[in-house]
Amino acid sequence: ANPEVVSVAPKIISKSEDEISNNESSKDIGIKTLSNKKQLKSKLHMVNKELAEYAQKKQLKSAIKTFNKCLKKGIPLDVHSFANLINAYVRCGEIDTALIQLETMKNRNISPNIVLLTTIMKGYCESGDMTSAKGIFQQMLQSDQQNMKPNIRTYNTFLRGCIRVGDINSALHYFNTIKGEDKDKDKDSSVQPDKTTYQYMIQLLCQSLRYEEAKDILSHYTLCNEDDDVTDSIATYISLARCGILLCQFVEAGKWLDIAKTFLHQAHHA
């Protein structure tokens, strides 16, 4: 036999086996990588759910502990992770620390979304800093990114802040924007007022004793097809009754109180 053929043949066979082995290894690595990605995604989902629960319950220390543990383990936290942590800070009245976390997130090249920015604005509103709240609201309105545009929850959060400080002018300005009645701005056609929006505006107008305007908005409130929150309905009609009494509209005030009582009975039976 030709020794060159004999000596070459095993090398060829060996090379083919190596190629097969390498291909199998590449597939194994690909499967493992895909599996790891799925595991990380599943883990991140669980972490974000856990952080959201801590934020809802105002368990700030637990939220921080979970967040830091993920950082140490190298779990790739996302905008939802930061949003939940920041919400925990905001709900516990620590807006300054929430802002630090926002900067930390940006430094990691993670862009904020509307949920996170609304949370920051809520923090300003709850601390009574409506100037900063309006500033961040304007940033959202002027943003070119769709995921940073304000939604109805953003508007309602701002209106709730206006109720806290009695800022009827700012409330009317943004309310008229989504109603298409603000001469300085085009109508925000992507956002429509809901029942909560009308409820907040009625309360604000009643605070300012703008009784007739509040009654005008009431017609929109009652036409909303959303499910009634009995507590909110009671608050709305009591606001109207209080305003009516202060303006000596006693007959109408009695009517609003009767409606409030009806809702109160519904709540009691429920």
Side-chain angles (χ1 to χ4, degrees):
N2 190 334
E4 291 183 0
V5 175
V6 173
S7 62
V8 170
K11 290 181 181 179
I12 294 172
I13 293 170
S14 176
K15 186 176 180 181
S16 297
E17 288 174 347
D18 286 342
E19 286 176 346
I20 292 168
S21 177
N22 288 336
N23 286 337
E24 289 177 347
S25 296
S26 297
K27 288 178 181 177
D28 288 342
I29 292 170
I31 291 169
K32 287 179 180 177
T33 302
L34 183 61
S35 177
N36 287 339
K37 284 182 178 179
K38 286 183 177 179
Q39 288 177 0
L40 281 174
K41 187 175 180 180
S42 176
K43 180 64 177 176
L44 182 58
H45 176 74
M46 291 173 62
V47 167
N48 287 341
K49 185 178 179 181
E50 188 176 341
L51 288 171
E53 289 176 356
Y54 287 141
Q56 188 65 30
K57 297 175 182 177
K58 298 185 179 181
Q59 296 177 350
L60 181 57
K61 289 183 179 179
S62 297
I64 294 170
K65 183 178 179 181
T66 298
F67 191 87
N68 288 337
K69 190 187 294 184
C70 291
L71 288 176
K72 288 178 182 178
K73 288 184 177 181
I75 296 174
L77 300 172
D78 60 9
V79 63
H80 305 294
S81 313
F82 277 94
N84 289 325
L85 179 65
I86 287 171
N87 190 31
Y89 278 112
V90 166
R91 287 179 62 81
C92 292
E94 297 193 23
I95 182 64
D96 291 337
T97 316
L99 293 172
I100 292 171
Q101 289 298 334
L102 178 62
E103 289 306 311
T104 300
M105 187 193 77
K106 289 179 179 178
N107 291 336
R108 287 172 170 264
N109 295 319
I110 301 174
S111 299
N113 60 16
I114 187 58
V115 174
L116 192 151
L117 292 176
T118 299
T119 299
I120 293 291
M121 190 184 72
K122 179 179 73 173
Y124 282 131
C125 288
E126 291 181 350
S127 66
D129 185 359
M130 293 306 294
T131 300
S132 297
K134 279 186 275 189
I136 199 166
F137 200 1
Q138 281 300 126
Q139 288 179 34
M140 288 187 271
L141 285 168
Q142 295 167 5
S143 175
D144 294 328
Q145 300 179 41
Q146 194 58 39
N147 69 336
M148 289 175 65
K149 288 287 187 183
N151 53 30
I152 192 57
R153 186 175 180 181
T154 310
Y155 279 91
N156 289 343
T157 298
F158 184 79
L159 292 179
R160 191 163 60 246
C162 290
I163 291 174
R164 278 176 171 267
V165 299
D167 188 355
I168 183 63
N169 291 330
S170 295
L172 281 170
H173 172 76
Y174 289 108
F175 176 70
N176 289 336
T177 297
I178 55 176
K179 287 280 290 177
E181 297 171 4
D182 193 322
K183 295 178 182 178
D184 298 327
K185 287 182 176 290
D186 294 327
K187 175 177 169 58
D188 187 350
S189 58
S190 64
V191 181
Q192 295 294 326
D194 63 7
K195 200 157 192 172
T196 301
T197 314
Y198 293 123
Q199 177 204 341
Y200 288 163
M201 286 307 304
I202 290 170
Q203 289 185 29
L204 276 158
L205 289 165
C206 286
Q207 281 181 2
S208 302
L209 300 182
R210 296 168 73 157
Y211 186 52
E212 295 303 322
E213 292 173 74
K215 287 196 294 181
D216 288 341
I217 291 179
L218 181 64
S219 60
H220 296 286
Y221 176 79
T222 54
L223 286 173
C224 283
N225 293 323
E226 303 162 42
D227 292 335
D228 279 328
D229 184 307
V230 176
T231 304
D232 290 341
S233 296
I234 292 169
T236 300
Y237 286 103
I238 285 178
S239 293
L240 285 162
R242 184 187 297 115
C243 186
I245 290 169
L246 290 172
L247 295 174
C248 300
Q249 302 291 326
F250 299 117
V251 175
E252 284 194 346
K255 181 179 72 174
W256 306 134
L257 284 174
D258 286 341
I259 296 173
K261 286 177 184 177
T262 301
F263 282 110
L264 188 60
H265 287 309
Q266 288 180 14
H268 177 71
H269 289 301

